[in-house]
Amino acid sequence: MAGKPKLHYTNGRGKMESIRWLLAAAGVEFEEEFIETKEDLEKLRNDGSLLFQQVPMVEIDGMKMVQTRAILSYIAAKHNLYGKDLKERAWIDMYVEGTTDLMGMIMYLPFQPAEAKEKNLALIIERATARYFPAYEKVLKDHGHDYLVGNKLSWADIHLLEAILMAEECKPDILSAFPLLQAFKGRISNIPTIKKFLQPGSQRKPPADEKFIAHVKKIFNM
Amino acid sequence: MSGKPKLHYFNGRGRMESIRWLLAAAGVEFDECFLETRDDLLKLQKSGALLFQQVPMVEIDGMKMVQTRAIGNYIAAKYNLYGKDLKERALIDMYVEAIIDLDELLMMYALQPADKKEQYLANIVDKATNRYFPVYEKVLKDQGQDFLVGNQLSRADVQLLEALLMAEEYKSDILAKFPLLQSFKARISNVPTIKKFLQPGSQRKPPLQEKDLPKVMKIFNLGH
């Protein structure tokens, strides 16, 4: 009998957050085991639980899966969020890679040297509003559908919503030039499983504060 | 009628090389359009051909595909190099993602300042020999089969071979402690399509020479 997936990570967003989003959107209940100290991480490594000595790690369907994208692809495919054929999958992959790049920039911002922070934040906003959001706005405009691919909810939509909300935390009016993305945000946020995940008390994690960053740096020797 | 895939990149390995490997291993002929100057890239960006203004871009089956992983996924699935089911796919993805991490490390060596290169190289060798290679050695040992997943050639094997050869360019005896990886290397190198790709005159690209680095930096506006 397969139990609930079990997520191994720190008690924060990082690379695990997209996995939490996808499971939640798919309506899959999951458990979490938080790495609180360096010793917790060492124990996981010494147990042989981490194929490449790294987290995220997700226990799912008898596997100890590692590598964020591998985990996300598996969950998406298993829960019918990966399109209906190879070509839809290709588009979903392209869109997800774009949002991954954008969210990666935002995620690493607190780990950049303090003096570069303002410059990096400006770059994030520039990339979001000049490179990524225009691409997704155009996709929605060109086909006029509610979802990015195949007229059906997919991993790409969930990932884009996550990216939009993260970008808004950097600059609240960052969607001002993108009416279709604003409507998209409203629409996808209202999907029952996602709506639930967006409410207080869910397993969604808040943005990292200074204290948490220091904590994480310690655990991962950064 | 869809013609051959057409690859848009500069005339070097970079992020396009693993795509060349996959296509070659699958026996798929492809054309290449090389970016020689920054203007070539700007022109491509202005034409709307690049979804996120970036290369690699591959014209394939009526799509202008971007994002290395998306392209690799599509080619692997289309040419049956992605396992037979979801679980095999999961294993292949895990192995390939780690190889991509190692490839990134190797790729970034050329961009390190001269005084940091030695330390960086030591880090590459450490990660390769302590984190990544032991895993693949163990997979081969535990299964006793010729290939990493599902007893048939997959993307994981192709990309691992590529990484092993690249790592050897940095340290020729880097596989000394990994006998099964050594025989894996020989075996996969002998797969006919791969053997052909490894011969001179193929579309495989050589390592980036120091003298070519300024040109690449210029095209991509790096180092600004």
Side-chain angles (χ1 to χ4, degrees):
Chain A
M1 184 202 89
K4 298 180 194 173
K6 192 173 188 185
L7 278 50
H8 295 262
Y9 203 65
T10 54
N11 189 359
R13 288 183 179 176
K15 288 184 188 282
M16 188 61 98
E17 192 71 351
S18 297
I19 294 168
R20 297 182 184 107
W21 267 87
L22 193 55
L23 285 168
V28 176
E29 287 185 26
F30 57 92
E31 286 165 3
E32 303 197 72
E33 193 165 297
F34 297 120
I35 297 166
E36 300 281 352
T37 64
K38 224 189 263 193
E39 288 69 41
D40 289 342
L41 180 60
E42 281 313 305
K43 184 160 179 289
L44 272 176
R45 284 173 168 161
N46 293 334
D47 284 347
S49 295
L50 307 179
L51 189 60
F52 301 106
Q53 314 310 321
Q54 296 164 314
V55 285
M57 188 270 276
V58 175
E59 298 180 68
I60 184 169
D61 297 340
M63 299 180 285
K64 286 185 165 66
M65 285 199 73
V66 296
Q67 296 291 346
T68 313
R69 279 179 181 82
I71 298 165
L72 287 166
S73 295
Y74 181 77
I75 295 167
K78 186 181 174 191
H79 295 281
N80 284 314
L81 292 166
Y82 220 157
K84 70 178 197 299
D85 57 29
L86 221 55
K87 280 208 173 174
E88 286 195 354
R89 197 172 180 139
W91 289 110
I92 291 168
D93 277 341
M94 282 188 261
Y95 299 153
V96 161
E97 286 298 300
T99 39
T100 298
D101 283 350
L102 179 57
M103 285 199 275
M105 290 175 79
I106 300 174
M107 203 198 321
Y108 279 112
L109 189 59
F111 296 94
Q112 312 278 38
E115 58 271 17
K117 194 166 175 199
E118 209 177 300
K119 186 173 140 208
N120 286 325
L121 183 58
L123 183 62
I124 287 169
I125 292 165
E126 204 248 326
R127 284 280 149 80
T129 54
R131 174 176 288 187
Y132 295 109
F133 292 163
Y136 299 107
E137 182 84 1
K138 185 178 190 298
V139 169
L140 293 171
K141 182 169 187 208
D142 286 352
H143 61 42
H145 295 156
D146 283 356
Y147 306 102
L148 286 170
V149 179
N151 209 6
K152 179 175 180 242
L153 181 73
S154 78
W155 174 19
D157 304 298
I158 298 158
H159 214 242
L160 177 57
L161 176 61
E162 184 190 358
I164 285 171
L165 296 181
M166 253 181 117
E168 282 184 330
E169 285 165 355
C170 293
K171 189 175 190 291
D173 64 347
I174 203 168
L175 283 190
S176 55
F178 306 102
L180 295 180
L181 287 180
Q182 291 175 41
F184 173 88
K185 173 190 153 194
R187 211 161 50 236
I188 307 302
S189 300
N190 261 312
I191 290 170
T193 47
I194 296 175
K195 188 171 183 171
K196 190 172 168 201
F197 187 64
L198 289 172
Q199 274 157 7
S202 81
Q203 283 160 300
R204 187 183 180 210
K205 303 293 175 275
D209 58 21
E210 292 238 0
K211 189 161 154 230
F212 189 74
I213 299 291
H215 170 73
V216 164
K217 279 184 173 172
K218 222 178 190 173
I219 295 174
F220 292 105
N221 245 11
M222 288 167 84
Chain B
M1 184 201 88
S2 50
K4 299 179 198 172
K6 192 172 187 186
L7 279 48
H8 295 259
Y9 204 62
F10 75 94
N11 188 0
R13 288 182 180 177
R15 292 183 188 283
M16 188 62 99
E17 192 70 354
S18 57
I19 293 168
R20 297 182 184 108
W21 268 86
L22 263 182
L23 285 169
V28 177
E29 286 184 25
F30 56 92
D31 292 330
E32 300 197 76
C33 188
F34 297 121
L35 304 176
E36 298 283 351
T37 65
R38 181 145 181 79
D39 275 350
D40 289 342
L41 178 60
L42 291 173
K43 209 165 121 205
L44 208 51
Q45 287 171 335
K46 285 206 174 73
S47 74
L50 307 178
L51 183 62
F52 301 116
Q53 312 310 323
Q54 297 164 312
V55 286
M57 188 270 277
V58 175
E59 298 181 68
I60 184 168
D61 298 339
M63 297 181 286
K64 288 184 166 65
M65 286 199 73
V66 296
Q67 295 290 348
T68 315
R69 279 178 178 84
I71 299 165
N73 288 355
Y74 182 77
I75 295 166
K78 186 178 177 191
Y79 295 104
N80 283 314
L81 293 168
Y82 222 157
K84 71 178 195 296
D85 57 29
L86 219 55
K87 282 208 170 175
E88 284 196 355
R89 195 176 177 135
L91 276 174
I92 290 168
D93 277 341
M94 282 190 267
Y95 298 154
V96 164
E97 282 296 305
I99 291 165
I100 292 174
D101 286 347
L102 178 58
D103 284 348
E104 281 279 315
L105 276 179
L106 296 170
M107 216 194 315
M108 293 293 150
Y109 174 80
L111 298 175
Q112 301 305 310
D115 57 347
K116 292 255 156 68
K117 275 195 155 85
E118 200 177 315
Q119 190 194 23
Y120 193 81
L121 182 59
N123 183 38
I124 289 174
V125 172
D126 173 55
K127 288 265 153 61
T129 55
N130 290 317
R131 176 173 285 187
Y132 296 112
F133 293 167
V135 172
Y136 301 107
E137 182 83 2
K138 184 177 191 294
V139 169
L140 292 170
K141 182 168 187 211
D142 288 350
Q143 294 177 162
Q145 289 168 350
D146 284 353
F147 307 103
L148 286 170
V149 179
N151 210 11
Q152 75 169 4
L153 183 74
S154 79
R155 174 190 193 185
D157 304 298
V158 177
Q159 298 212 221
L160 178 57
L161 175 60
E162 181 192 359
L164 294 177
L165 295 179
M166 258 206 298
E168 281 183 328
E169 286 166 355
Y170 288 88
K171 189 175 190 287
S172 54
D173 65 346
I174 204 169
L175 289 187
K177 293 203 199 109
F178 305 101
L180 296 179
L181 286 180
Q182 290 176 40
S183 48
F184 173 88
K185 174 189 143 192
R187 202 164 56 240
I188 306 302
S189 298
N190 262 312
V191 169
T193 47
I194 295 175
K195 189 171 183 174
K196 190 171 168 202
F197 187 62
L198 289 172
Q199 275 157 6
S202 82
Q203 283 159 301
R204 187 183 181 211
K205 302 293 175 274
L208 195 64
Q209 306 296 315
E210 288 267 351
K211 64 176 172 62
D212 294 322
L213 187 58
K215 178 177 160 188
V216 173
M217 308 261 299
K218 219 178 192 170
I219 296 173
F220 293 105
N221 230 14
L222 295 174
H224 279 234

